[in-house]
Amino acid sequence: MKETGEPMAQAETVIFTDLDGTLLDGNYRCDPAQPLLQRLRELGIPVVFASSKTRAEVERLRRDLGNRDPYIVENGAAILIPEGLLGEEPARAGCVRSRGVWQYAPARQRTEILTVLGRLRQEHGFRFRAFHDLDPGRLAAITGLDPEAAALALRRQASEPLEWKDSPARLDRFRELLRQEGLELVRGGRFLHVQDPACDKGRAMLWLLGLYARHRGAAVRSIALGDSENDRQMLELADVAVVVPGAAGERLSLQRREGVVVAPAPGPAGWARALSRLLGLDRQASHRP
Ligand SMILES: [Mg+2]
């Protein structure tokens, strides 16, 4: 893969990052990335979290990390923009305001998805375990989340994660039946996600970039970071894609060849090294006394 040469201009860059396996490690921590997150905040470079996680989960993480930028939840099913951040653009773009945040939610609702899943399970006997089947205690035991975080993970708006407990051949059949219902199955880091095919992280990113460009009156450049299949569209569409490898060195293979960087390490350590190099911040840091 080809590496990009010169560091990108900082002021006009917006960063879009996946969370699990990318900014966060297997223990949901991002310690090695904290100094760079702080530096980006000082420089005014937005870091947009783009995750399969729920609004409630991402909001907790944003609070913990002091992030004040827009965020994309449930794989693009909803886009949230803190009030005042992009002026009047969210209102013009058809967002709805609640609790100091503008929300744009183009996806089909979770209740519809659960209805379809219930019917397919009943008619075909598919074996899977969806989040809807779990209480916070069970989900905490499966994922290693603490019970409070697990409760936030269950507060979904427009997508349903599940663990497949049936054969691979039956999974293909399940996928096809979902497609006939107008839904798609996307592989995330830990779960398969049933969601509206009209929504993905890539489309959400482009929509948000449009708002940034109109608000600033100039084009903005995007850097996207991700590690798995549900990051693919975002990584294919960003100006620069950073593929973060998995713990065993496995990595997502993109169609594009230009503008792709493979992070030198998994998780938040690789995230920070790849990004600081792209932004030229590694050199600035080394020139400090
Ligand atoms: Mg991930």
Side-chain angles (χ1 to χ4, degrees):
M1 289 189 186
K2 188 173 183 288
E3 279 214 357
T4 51
E6 283 304 294
M8 299 168 72
Q10 291 167 8
E12 59 187 26
T13 300
V14 181
I15 294 159
F16 293 81
T17 183
D18 171 50
L19 295 175
D20 288 345
T22 300
L23 178 61
L24 303 178
D25 64 19
N27 297 315
Y28 304 107
R29 297 195 60 89
C30 68
D31 303 4
Q34 292 265 26
L36 181 57
L37 285 170
Q38 171 67 30
R39 186 94 178 89
L40 294 171
R41 201 154 43 234
E42 290 163 7
L43 291 167
I45 299 177
V47 179
V48 175
F49 294 168
S51 178
S52 60
K53 290 177 180 295
T54 63
R55 175 175 177 176
E57 287 179 287
V58 175
E59 286 178 347
R60 184 169 103 151
L61 190 72
R62 288 173 76 255
R63 270 197 303 278
D64 290 350
L65 296 176
N67 178 287
R68 299 190 186 94
D69 298 315
Y71 45 112
I72 294 165
V73 304
E74 296 190 44
N75 286 330
I79 303 160
L80 291 307
I81 304 163
E83 208 173 346
L85 212 54
L86 295 176
E88 296 305 309
E89 294 305 333
R92 286 195 196 109
C95 294
V96 175
R97 182 168 42 189
S98 80
R99 290 178 284 144
V101 181
W102 291 102
Q103 174 171 260
Y104 183 68
R108 281 170 71 183
Q109 291 305 293
R110 185 194 185 200
T111 48
E112 292 180 51
I113 294 173
L114 293 179
T115 302
V116 171
L117 286 177
R119 193 169 66 241
L120 293 183
R121 180 186 261 159
Q122 198 172 20
E123 290 176 0
H124 301 271
F126 290 122
R127 283 178 291 129
F128 58 84
R129 184 162 61 184
F131 273 26
H132 180 66
D133 303 319
L134 302 170
D135 60 25
R138 291 285 301 284
L139 182 61
I142 292 169
T143 57
L145 290 168
D146 65 62
E148 190 196 341
L152 300 181
L154 291 175
R155 283 165 49 181
R156 313 200 73 79
Q157 294 173 267
S159 63
E160 184 66 1
L162 57 85
E163 280 185 307
W164 189 246
K165 302 284 190 184
D166 217 320
S167 70
R170 299 254 293 162
L171 180 60
D172 291 340
R173 177 80 181 126
F174 180 64
R175 189 189 301 275
E176 173 56 24
L177 288 166
L178 283 174
R179 200 187 58 75
Q180 290 171 17
E181 297 281 352
L183 293 170
E184 75 175 338
L185 197 60
V186 178
R187 195 172 287 281
R190 290 172 190 239
F191 298 99
L192 296 167
H193 298 266
V194 183
Q195 62 187 51
D196 186 335
C199 301
D200 60 54
K201 292 184 186 183
R203 282 183 226 210
M205 177 185 74
L206 292 183
W207 185 88
L208 201 46
L209 282 170
L211 261 61
Y212 268 105
R214 284 197 291 280
H215 181 59
R216 294 185 177 181
V220 286
R221 288 200 281 184
S222 52
I223 300 177
L225 304 97
D227 73 316
S228 57
E229 198 57 46
N230 61 338
D231 303 314
R232 176 178 295 284
Q233 292 91 342
M234 181 172 79
L235 293 169
E236 295 285 4
L237 292 167
D239 293 311
V240 176
V242 178
V243 175
V244 176
E250 75 283 12
R251 66 182 200 222
L252 191 67
S253 170
L254 300 180
Q255 292 203 321
R256 69 188 290 183
R257 286 290 173 265
E258 301 289 317
V260 179
V261 172
V262 176
W271 187 95
R273 282 166 62 188
L275 199 50
S276 56
R277 189 166 171 209
L278 271 174
L279 294 168
L281 296 173
D282 54 341
R283 273 177 262 176
Q284 286 177 22
S286 66
H287 290 161
R288 280 179 185 172

